[in-house]
Amino acid sequence: MKHKHVPVLIVGGGLTGLTSALFLARHNIDYLLVEKHADTAIHPKAGGITFRTMELFRQIGLEEAIRTTSKPLDNIRGRIAVESIKDIDLAELKQGEDTQKEIDKKIVKMIEKISPSKAASCYQMNLEPILLQAAEKGKGHIRFNTELVTYQQDDLGVTATIIDRDSGTEEIIRSDYIIAADGAKSAICEHIGIPTTGRGVIGGHYINIYFQADLSTFLQGSQFGFYQILNPEVFGALITVNNRDQWIYHVAYDPSKGDRPEDFTEDRCREIIKKAIGMPDLDFVILSTLPWAAVERTATRFQENRVFLVGDAAHLMPPTGGFGSNTGIQDAHNLAWKLAAVIHKKAHPRLLETYHDERHHAVQVTTKYASDLLFSAVNKGISTLNNMDHLAVTVGYKYASKAVIEQEPTTHRMDRLELNGSPGTRAPHLWVNYQGNCISTLDVIDGDFVLFTGENNNLWHTAAQNVSSLLGITINVYSIGSQGDLIEREDRWETLYDVTPQGAVLIRPDGFVAWRTKDGESNPNLILKQVMNSILW
């Protein structure tokens, strides 16, 4: 057998695996990614990308490419309920669209205040090729049609056996760490034996029918993205894939009554589509089918020594709210900089324990919200929602771990979004001018620690240089103000970050506030050294 060593072995080449690769490469970490399938996804699923996830794609230079790919679905919003597509009242449809547009404008304005990015609609089958192409240009190695056979951990690393599914050739890989991105039926999670919590299947079982048809006669350019079909024979939902001629239809089935995915033959699926559209002679082509279930399940721990669970391998949540794949991508982002710091010997391996501490809590918050959204929908509008705010769930959660230093701990609210520079929260977005360009404060957070200060930052700049040299890390310092490195376009940096002109805010490589001093320090060199040692060592 061949033997090879890589710092990180990534198992799984879906959204979470590919983004893990990209985020690691951003930190100059070599990896081997293995994916048992021969190619990227071929079925439309996981179509919603939150503005927070788009911020992460912005950081690795993929925001525009994804925005271009998602353009056909830019204006697709809202939902409507009808007996069948043929029964749609176009006048009523137009009125509903106008109402939805007004709602969208309000949401867009709220997001523009807190982020440089906008949400996008880009199905996994379209997004994965973009990620793969970017990954293949960078550091690391990717092998499709390659499967993990066995692995074993020891004190110094992980020994894994992989197999090429075409040739049958086995190879031994020695790695420092494994990222398990192998999906909802994770063999790695099962092998480790990590227990899970959650209510299991809570929203039923469904068949997702992907088909091609011209429905323009009935919809006439409708901007709705979700059509609830009330016909009891085929009760389900029609969702556009490309806002033109590709669609997916979700129809429920009940295993307790003996229903099975294999019972949905092509003929049966064709009858379902005809009834949902209301046209017995509809001309269409079924492209593929996929069974799925609305599941709530979370691993009790996301780390087992040198193995880390990310994405669906770590947690499953209902699709309501569109948080699932986004949460997995954010797992990968949180983990990547910590692995890089440890592998580059810039941090103690204890830093890796904060991955579970931070992401497990964020996942629990998100899963509860997604489940509550589902229950409210199932109960025909009867609210079962808690007091969490949608934007707060998207970006307003707060990390509490040894990688966050909060001098005055405060109760964090989730009933409204609070991004005010508090340690453990995502750093606030502010438009500034930098070297003649208008950028966001988030744009200078690019893989290293960043220290934001007021205009008179000589002492902080010197302190950062000294600590960087001492610990072998990089701390980029930016003064903010009318005469700063980052020139304010609005006079609100101090208010937004809740600091005085003497204050300073330390931002982690993942964009979360690590530490803040509101009024400054008498000995910046000493305090910054203590802060960095506390976080990294």
Side-chain angles (χ1 to χ4, degrees):
M1 291 186 189
K2 296 180 180 179
H3 292 67
K4 179 178 180 177
H5 176 269
V6 290
V8 181
L9 174 62
I10 303 171
V11 181
L15 292 179
T16 307
L18 288 170
T19 49
S20 294
L22 287 165
F23 296 144
L24 286 172
R26 192 71 168 178
H27 293 283
N28 200 32
I29 295 295
D30 194 10
Y31 63 84
L32 170 63
L33 182 153
V34 296
E35 165 56 50
K36 66 181 181 180
H37 293 105
D39 207 342
T40 53
I42 60 173
H43 193 93
K45 55 183 179 178
I49 308 177
T50 67
F51 66 87
R52 172 56 187 159
T53 302
M54 288 298 284
E55 290 174 3
L56 308 188
F57 289 140
R58 179 187 183 95
Q59 190 180 65
I60 57 176
L62 295 181
E63 184 180 35
E64 286 307 312
I66 295 170
R67 183 75 58 203
T68 299
T69 302
S70 70
K71 196 171 184 59
L73 300 179
D74 273 356
N75 298 316
I76 298 300
R77 298 288 187 276
R79 58 178 61 203
I80 190 171
V82 294
E83 184 70 17
S84 72
I85 295 300
K86 185 180 179 182
D87 295 327
I88 287 178
D89 183 322
L90 292 175
E92 181 181 342
L93 192 66
K94 180 64 169 64
Q95 184 178 5
E97 287 178 352
D98 292 341
T99 301
Q100 186 63 43
K101 286 178 181 178
E102 292 304 312
I103 296 173
D104 289 347
K105 286 180 182 178
K106 293 179 181 179
I107 295 174
V108 168
K109 286 182 179 179
M110 286 191 290
I111 293 176
E112 285 177 344
K113 293 180 180 179
I114 59 175
S115 177
S117 299
K118 298 178 182 178
S121 295
C122 185
Y123 284 99
Q124 186 170 343
M125 66 179 189
N126 298 322
L127 178 56
E128 283 184 4
I130 296 174
L131 303 179
L132 177 59
Q133 184 180 30
E136 288 176 335
K137 292 179 180 178
K139 193 179 185 71
H141 309 274
I142 297 173
R143 299 188 198 174
F144 277 77
N145 218 23
T146 304
E147 189 169 6
L148 175 70
V149 179
T150 62
Y151 74 91
Q152 185 173 358
Q153 302 189 62
D154 57 50
D155 292 341
L156 299 178
V158 185
T159 302
T161 301
I162 61 174
I163 185 170
D164 183 301
R165 300 181 72 187
D166 274 337
S167 66
T169 303
E170 291 190 349
E171 184 175 352
I172 293 176
I173 302 296
R174 182 70 176 169
S175 66
D176 300 319
Y177 300 98
I178 284 182
I179 295 179
D182 52 340
K185 298 179 181 179
S186 171
I188 294 177
C189 185
E190 183 178 350
H191 177 266
I192 295 173
I194 295 178
T196 61
T197 60
R199 291 167 285 184
V201 178
I202 61 174
H205 294 79
Y206 301 88
I207 295 293
N208 181 318
I209 307 170
Y210 176 33
F211 69 100
Q212 187 170 22
D214 181 3
L215 303 182
S216 59
T217 302
F218 314 112
L219 301 180
Q220 295 190 6
S222 166
Q223 297 300 299
F224 281 98
F226 188 103
Y227 301 87
Q228 184 76 63
I229 304 301
L230 302 179
N231 182 340
E233 292 186 67
V234 292
F235 185 84
L238 180 73
I239 301 174
T240 184
V241 173
N242 64 357
N243 199 26
R244 191 175 65 254
D245 62 350
Q246 293 181 18
W247 311 86
I248 45 180
Y249 191 72
H250 299 277
V251 62
Y253 71 96
D254 190 348
S256 68
K257 295 180 179 179
D259 294 341
R260 304 172 304 165
E262 51 266 36
D263 295 332
F264 286 81
T265 62
E266 180 169 343
D267 286 344
R268 184 177 177 185
C269 288
R270 291 187 67 83
E271 289 305 310
I272 289 170
I273 297 302
K274 289 177 181 178
K275 289 179 180 179
I277 305 304
M279 287 288 291
D281 57 350
L282 180 69
D283 183 24
F284 65 99
V285 177
I286 293 179
L287 302 174
S288 62
T289 60
L290 181 73
W292 65 278
V295 177
E296 180 190 294
R297 187 171 73 238
T298 304
T300 55
R301 60 185 188 275
F302 291 176
Q303 177 187 5
E304 178 68 18
N305 194 12
R306 292 176 174 271
V307 177
F308 299 87
L309 307 181
V310 296
D312 286 353
H315 47 77
L316 292 171
M317 63 189 70
T320 37
F323 294 107
S325 60
N326 292 281
T327 306
I329 291 168
Q330 289 159 35
D331 292 342
H333 192 250
N334 180 284
L335 178 60
W337 77 268
K338 297 172 182 178
L339 279 172
V342 172
I343 291 169
H344 287 314
K345 301 188 185 304
K346 309 298 184 184
H348 192 279
R350 280 190 299 266
L351 176 65
L352 298 176
E353 297 172 6
T354 67
Y355 167 66
H356 168 84
D357 295 340
E358 295 179 350
R359 291 306 300 165
H360 193 267
H361 173 69
V363 165
Q364 287 179 312
V365 168
T366 308
T367 300
K368 178 168 176 50
Y369 185 73
S371 296
D372 285 350
L373 284 175
L374 178 62
F375 280 120
S376 291
V378 170
N379 290 320
K380 299 179 181 179
I382 299 174
S383 179
T384 60
L385 289 175
N386 53 45
N387 62 351
M388 286 190 283
D389 174 78
H390 189 89
L391 290 181
V393 175
T394 301
V395 73
Y397 47 84
K398 184 176 182 178
Y399 290 152
S401 75
K402 292 181 180 179
V404 173
I405 300 173
E406 190 169 19
Q407 295 168 320
E408 300 176 2
T410 57
T411 302
H412 185 65
R413 302 178 60 171
M414 289 296 292
D415 60 335
R416 67 185 186 194
L417 181 63
E418 291 184 332
L419 294 176
N420 57 6
S422 176
T425 61
R426 199 269 270 143
H429 151 69
L430 178 68
W431 289 116
V432 294
N433 288 332
Y434 178 61
Q435 297 181 348
N437 297 313
C438 177
I439 66 168
S440 167
T441 45
L442 302 184
D443 291 332
V444 300
I445 304 168
D446 190 23
D448 295 313
F449 281 87
V450 168
L451 189 68
F452 288 149
T453 71
E455 289 181 337
N456 299 318
N457 73 341
N458 289 339
L459 291 178
W460 282 115
H461 196 278
T462 300
Q465 285 183 321
N466 292 339
V467 174
S468 294
S469 178
L470 179 67
L471 300 182
I473 59 171
T474 299
I475 305 174
N476 296 315
V477 185
Y478 297 92
S479 61
I480 304 178
S482 59
Q483 301 297 319
D485 301 313
L486 305 179
I487 301 173
E488 289 188 88
R489 297 172 67 88
E490 302 175 41
D491 185 20
R492 63 190 191 101
W493 124 258
E494 293 168 16
T495 301
L496 189 60
Y497 277 78
D498 194 17
V499 292
T500 66
Q502 291 73 41
V505 183
L506 180 69
I507 316 296
R508 306 187 325 186
D510 62 352
F512 279 73
V513 178
W515 166 80
R516 174 180 64 183
T517 175
K518 293 185 179 183
D519 301 311
E521 300 290 338
S522 59
N523 191 335
N525 193 75
L526 176 62
I527 190 66
L528 190 58
K529 176 184 174 183
Q530 291 174 341
V531 165
M532 293 305 300
N533 271 321
S534 179
I535 293 170
L536 299 176
W537 295 98

